[in-house]
Amino acid sequence: MDSAPRLELGGLPEETLKILGEWTPEDKSWKDILAVYAAAPDQERPGGLPAMAGTYRVAQGKVEFEPRFPLLPSLDYHAVLHPGNLPGASFKGPEQQAMFRLPIEEREPVTRVSAVFPSASTLPENLLKFYFHFSNSMSRGDVYAHLRLERADGTEVDLPFLELDEELWDGERRRITVFIDPGRIKRGLRPREESGPALEADQSYVLIIAAGLRDGSGLPLQEEFRTTFRVGPPDTTPPDPSLWELSLPRSGSRESLVAAFGESLDHALALRLLEVVDSEGKKVAGQSALEDHESRWTFAPSLAWSPGDYRILIPNTLEDLAGNQVGQPFDVDVFDQARPVRPERNAEIPFRIR
């Protein structure tokens, strides 16, 4: 993606530039001097909203501001200078504002939806979340306006997603987590009682991401994305590592250790949480992957396996597709006296390479 453009402020006295040059690039005091805000084209600078994140520095007699995320041609930007807060000299006068917008370049869209998880064709009625992966960094702020869920007959499901003000992007803004509204999942909650579950067993659905969703450079997606799935019964059984089936590698090889879960697990959590340690508790370096619609985990070591005892560590925060965690269901009946209790310790599976 293109690098972010820099905003420059010139004409400052040498004394002021010398003081500013000693500040760190992300010193919070910079925003008291020069702050940049983003707003939709028909809005004035939004009061109460934070200034854009970025880094500042003094270079070639000017103050430069580089935003953390790329500026978008679809937005207006407001740079606000507070002369009275400049150090080292006496400045007077009110704040000064400048509004600008990036020129729209004639470029072809290049970004697409690269993957959606869970990937199985049949999902539980109480599915908790989707992960959407994109081939490039994306813009933020209007994902839900471009995301919809339709039934097989083409009717749209009303408000199926938990629409958060702070969208759940990863650090590179190439993966977003979208939750089904828990109020439409958990029994006894008003949204479910009034509108029913977002997903219904024995029905088929189409998940759609409209092409108007923009990437980090302001371009729309190459094309609309659609994926179809069918809904099965709800899953209320927590994952049980004692039922996993292991396939062990040979000593002296770099063959993969394989754990078959017997069900699909949460894609991001399984890749992040599961790890292998040796008999001394040291983490074994290697590469994890998921196969068969996230129902099988493979671990390929960086070095050949040595004979000895090992363990797969399984945090109790590992989830299945319905949000059930190890030893703890997502939807708990508060009146059920025999309801499961979350294990105090994380689970583990010992194995030996002979």
Side-chain angles (χ1 to χ4, degrees), residues 90-110:
S90 177
F91 293 91
K92 298 181 179 180
E95 70 174 26
Q96 301 177 27
Q97 296 191 36
M99 187 173 70
F100 62 95
R101 174 185 282 201
L102 295 184
I104 298 178
E105 301 179 21
E106 295 296 332
R107 292 182 293 167
E108 291 295 324
V110 295

Side-chain angles (χ1 to χ4, degrees), residues 151 158 184 190-198 200:
R151 303 177 182 87
D158 185 40
R184 304 281 294 275
R190 178 174 294 178
R192 181 183 174 100
E193 296 298 321
E194 294 180 349
S195 303
E200 298 183 70

Side-chain angles (χ1 to χ4, degrees), residues 8 36 79 87 95 135 138 148 173 214 235 255:
E8 297 181 345
V36 181
E95 70 174 26
S135 59
M138 301 297 294
R148 67 183 189 273
R173 286 184 293 126
R214 296 187 176 273
D235 178 6
E255 295 174 346

